Amino acid sequence: MGLNTWVRVLIAFISVWVILVLIFYSKLNTGGANDTEDAFRRLNQALSYLEKSKQVDQELRTLIDEYISDTSYNRKQKFVDELGNKLQIQGAGAGHFKGVPSLEYEQLRRRVYSNTQELWNFLNSEVIKAAKIGRKNSPEIAPPLDALLSLASEHKRSLLNDINQMRASDGYEFWRYKESKDLSDLVQRRLNYLQNPEDCSTARKLVCRLNKGCGYGCQLHHVVYCFIMAYATERTLILKSKGWRYHKAGWEEVFQPISDTCLDANGATHASWPGTTETQVLTVPIIDSLNPRPPYLPLAIPADLAPRLMKLHGDPIVWWIGQFLKYLLKPTGETRQMLENGMEKLGFRKPIVGVHVRRTDKVGTEAAFHGIEEYMMAVDDYYNQVEMTEAIDKRRVFIASDDPKVIDEAKSKYPHYEIIGDPDVAKVAAVSTRYTDSSLNGIILDIHLLSLSDYLVCTFSSQVCRVAYEIMQTLYPDASGRFKSLDDIYYYGGQNAHNREVVLAHNPKNHDEIHMRKGDLVGVAGNHWNGYSKGKNSRTSQVGLFPSFKVNDKIEVVDLPKYPKVK
């Protein structure tokens, strides 16, 4: 890592402890010296903060130890990011720890943020439509409308910044980081326990064949679905990957084996899903062919984790999926080296926005065409927001695509941006060369860098984009808002119903809209990003548009094993 960096880290530690000493001293010496009761109160406050500071310090020391012993491919970036987070908590939380927020507060805070976004979506869409009509029929109307939109966008950025500042100063940041780490550690320990039974010969197993006829992102989601099935049925997942279309030798040459002790599918009894609880080895089909369909498929989360997860995260199912990917995607030494080399070659560094542009086989079939201008408008909006509170040395964008021309086009049209991307990776991502080792390395690198970006701009119709977004959730307490999708909302292929609960009644204004009463469930089909979503009211069976801000996501919660042996 280099001597200079370690010197900076040492200086940071010394600075933090100087701050702590000063705070501790000030707690003891504020106010009148003769006020005994007040002195004891200040002493208790100081001791309470010192105890919390010790906890953060221990986490910092653990982070240092992990860095020294760790050789993982993203150790440098992870170390710097996590160290920065810890030091930021120390500084921002000095004397300002409140403990644990209420569920209502966290959900309301996130709702205010998302509704501000939805109000902007509505206003932006309506003004653009009016300006378009004005330019055609009354040209003098267009300039005032453009000015209105420009000022409104400043209002929006100011509101979002205020909400972010409120979160940063509300005294709960320490809890958010710690709760995120504790929850993730718990799930990872459960998965490790499940995957390493004491006796593989007698363990109950679930066999998953890596043979789904689809692209890399889709196949990752296939393995995650199998893992969720294994978790829910308390069976060790056995991944049969020989002959994998992306790498014939199988998963274990690209990523580490998903078990240290149990890799074979041997057993006394075998059956296909659903089998019985007594069946030792159970084989599952792809999610599209699963019958009967259990209630714990996505978008459901475990009941025992739900109260904590719903408080912590804005989209709990994405966090849940991300935990399975975190366990699965542990690279082998060769893959790790490939990722390190790729990051160094590209010059990947923060701040940076990850942009995924899917073309070739998707456009015209599963997704509409979106020009690079649409992506870059979202990138501009992100950087404009960030620059309200911090200086940006250079606006950087990492572009991943299956069309090499996209990278050249972006560099030509946006010279004031630092555009990084590898046209060679884009070339091998084309359909004709997709299932090769070079293509596999390219897509693994693309997803890795997209997930490490500060913000993600893409189309959620692409599974590559959704995988990157899911992995991103493992890097922050809550990264549910770090994206802009130009088409779909987040979904999981083969998922159960996605319902939203009506919190504000709606009387339709035209024949395209649906009637809603408070408490109705609406199966959402998509967000049009113009203030409206489309869905079906389960009470009336009406299908149509409704204002997006009038509903909340209904989190599906199911009883799953609690793994009591995992402390």
Side-chain angles (χ1 to χ4, degrees), residues 98-115 163-180 306-316 477-480 552:
K98 283 188 177 179
V100 180
S102 67
L103 172 65
E104 292 75 16
Y105 171 77
E106 289 295 270
Q107 290 185 330
L108 181 60
R109 176 181 60 79
R110 290 191 290 259
R111 177 169 166 79
V112 171
Y113 192 95
S114 65
N115 280 355
I163 298 168
N164 285 333
Q165 293 301 313
M166 180 183 72
R167 187 210 72 235
S169 61
D170 62 13
Y172 299 125
E173 279 297 89
F174 178 83
W175 171 84
R176 293 180 185 113
Y177 278 87
K178 187 176 186 306
E179 180 72 348
S180 172
R308 297 172 66 185
L309 191 47
M310 290 166 66
K311 184 186 297 187
L312 173 70
H313 203 275
D315 201 346
D478 181 2
S480 60
N552 281 338

Side-chain angles (χ1 to χ4, degrees), residues 549-564:
F549 75 95
K550 293 192 172 185
V551 300
N552 281 338
D553 256 332
K554 184 179 184 299
I555 307 301
E556 301 297 333
V557 176
V558 294
D559 288 320
L560 290 180
K562 298 179 181 179
Y563 293 89

